[in-house]
Amino acid sequence: MKLGLQLGYWSAQPPQGVGELVAAAEDAGFDAIFTAEAWGSDAFTPLAWWGRETSRVRLGTSIVQMSGRTPTSIAMHALTLDHLTGGRVILGMGVSGPQVVEGWYGVPFSKPLARTREVVSIIRQVLAREAPVTNAGPHHPLPYAGPGAVGLGKPLKPIVHPLRADLPIWLGAEGPKNVAQTAEIADGWIPIFYTPKSAGMYQPWLDEGFARPGARRTRDDFEIAATCHLQIVENATQKQAVIDGMKPFVSLYMGGMGAKEQNFHHQVFTRMGYGELADEVQELYLSGEKDKATALIPDELVDDMHIIGTPTEVSERVAQWEETGVTTLLLSCRSAAEVRGIAELLA
């Protein structure tokens, strides 16, 4: 199992010390660094910046929001960065949620599975560069001939010859249909809140996708990149402090990251068996009582979602994640010393 450094997306200001983290990951043998985006910093620019400071690690997005760019624009970003970095890009994408898609990007959220399939198809056409890119689907028609069109749209091939036609595309997916489609059309899967206890829930969904005619991968060559926080502590007191510090993030996603009517993260926790808790946390969070919502998060849930413990405990937990089929752990780390310590322990 490989290790990836999850840099995430920026908060109010650009984070400090990222250069040291990236350098430590490169030197310590991490396989990749990943960036994310929400509605502030974008995922591609930091990869371009830090990619110049590295020579070996793969550079992944986890995830690029598909509604923020047209499919051909995403392909242009990926093929450009792939050339600049010598073929190290992993294109991780996802549909985000209706609050962001319709509230930030100003486009419809409906039909996320169909839109995902069209986006992946178009990007693969761009990267293959075998013929002018066309798409007959309703979400991203190429050439466009709908309302407002002047009728001069022309199918085009990219001017630049992509470095890799098989540049890996990983998808963020949460629900049964989305996970199955990911196993069918993608090279990898970036789950959210994947844990050893919940891993069994996903296996039939993945198997359904692998069994579909024309599936791109099999379980043997399909990547699963699970995100978690890994922290080595000395004793139970330190572990409890870390767990308590992680609870606000859990309550945010369980209760506050999305509308009450449609919160995909909330649905994941419900499928994991925390339905009643998720409803209560959401009710408190959306009414402004965030501290009360956070206080409801049980220790065992945080402990399942993340890897926190003594060196022996961490090694055992990492082995459990690997046994479920995870091929890459995307880890959030706070310092270069942590990166080096994790690499040394798991080497």
Side-chain angles (χ1 to χ4, degrees):
M1 185 170 61
K2 301 179 285 291
L3 300 180
L5 176 64
Q6 176 60 270
L7 298 176
Y9 53 80
W10 299 357
S11 53
Q13 298 293 328
Q16 301 299 308
V18 176
E20 290 82 359
L21 284 174
V22 170
E26 169 100 348
D27 293 341
F30 273 52
D31 175 71
I33 62 173
F34 279 77
T35 57
E37 61 186 24
W39 49 93
S41 59
D42 79 283
F44 283 114
T45 306
L47 282 185
W49 184 269
W50 299 119
R52 188 171 177 82
E53 302 297 319
T54 61
S55 61
R56 183 191 56 77
V57 290
R58 295 195 289 174
L59 306 167
T61 56
S62 61
I63 57 173
V64 161
Q65 297 167 330
M66 288 186 282
S67 295
R69 307 164 185 83
T70 65
T72 47
S73 176
I74 296 173
M76 289 167 64
H77 283 292
L79 75 84
T80 302
L81 187 57
D82 206 43
H83 268 292
L84 291 174
T85 59
R88 292 189 282 143
V89 170
I90 300 167
L91 179 58
M93 302 186 294
V95 296
S96 188
Q99 283 190 323
V100 175
V101 171
E102 297 184 358
W104 183 248
Y105 295 120
V107 295
F109 180 75
S110 61
K111 306 290 185 181
L113 269 73
R115 286 191 292 112
T116 298
R117 188 176 289 273
E118 285 189 26
V119 170
V120 172
S121 172
I122 292 169
I123 291 173
R124 292 210 192 280
Q125 287 185 62
V126 173
L127 296 175
R129 203 180 179 273
E130 294 174 347
V133 178
T134 60
N135 183 56
H139 303 287
H140 300 284
L142 292 174
Y144 177 74
V150 298
L152 299 177
K154 177 183 178 181
L156 300 169
K157 288 198 293 186
I159 297 170
V160 178
H161 292 232
L163 183 63
R164 293 184 294 164
D166 61 347
L167 186 153
I169 296 176
W170 298 0
L171 296 176
E174 298 180 39
K177 294 180 180 179
N178 205 349
V179 172
Q181 178 173 272
T182 296
E184 176 193 356
I185 69 174
D187 302 297
W189 174 41
I190 307 172
I192 190 168
F193 313 136
Y194 183 100
T195 75
K197 287 184 179 179
S198 67
M201 173 178 68
Y202 296 107
Q203 304 312 316
W205 309 348
L206 292 167
D207 287 338
E208 178 187 338
F210 294 135
R212 290 177 180 174
R216 183 173 173 85
R217 298 284 180 180
T218 67
R219 189 176 286 275
D220 291 337
D221 62 358
F222 185 78
E223 299 235 33
I224 299 177
T227 296
C228 73
H229 178 72
L230 189 155
Q231 190 163 340
I232 302 168
V233 298
E234 296 179 359
N235 51 51
T237 301
Q238 289 184 1
K239 178 175 180 176
Q240 186 63 54
V242 176
I243 288 175
D244 291 342
M246 297 299 296
K247 288 183 179 181
F249 299 100
V250 179
S251 65
L252 167 63
Y253 279 88
M254 182 182 286
M257 191 67 82
K260 186 174 183 179
E261 297 78 14
Q262 192 171 42
N263 182 331
F264 299 120
H265 306 318
H266 178 280
Q267 293 171 12
V268 173
F269 285 112
T270 298
R271 294 189 188 101
M272 290 169 66
Y274 293 94
E276 291 185 8
L277 173 67
D279 289 342
E280 192 172 356
V281 168
Q282 185 181 64
E283 192 71 33
L284 289 169
Y285 208 100
L286 295 180
S287 65
E289 298 185 89
K290 298 179 182 179
D291 290 342
K292 289 184 178 180
T294 298
L296 294 177
I297 303 300
D299 292 352
E300 58 268 22
L301 174 58
V302 180
D303 194 36
D304 186 35
M305 292 173 61
H306 303 288
I307 301 174
I308 305 162
T310 63
T312 299
E313 290 172 334
V314 166
S315 296
E316 292 173 351
R317 290 280 288 143
V318 168
Q320 292 174 3
W321 285 67
E322 186 172 16
E323 288 171 3
T324 69
V326 172
T327 60
T328 298
L329 275 179
L330 303 184
L331 305 177
S332 60
C333 299
R334 301 171 302 169
S335 68
E338 279 192 356
V339 171
R340 289 190 290 268
I342 290 168
E344 183 177 350
L345 175 64
L346 301 179

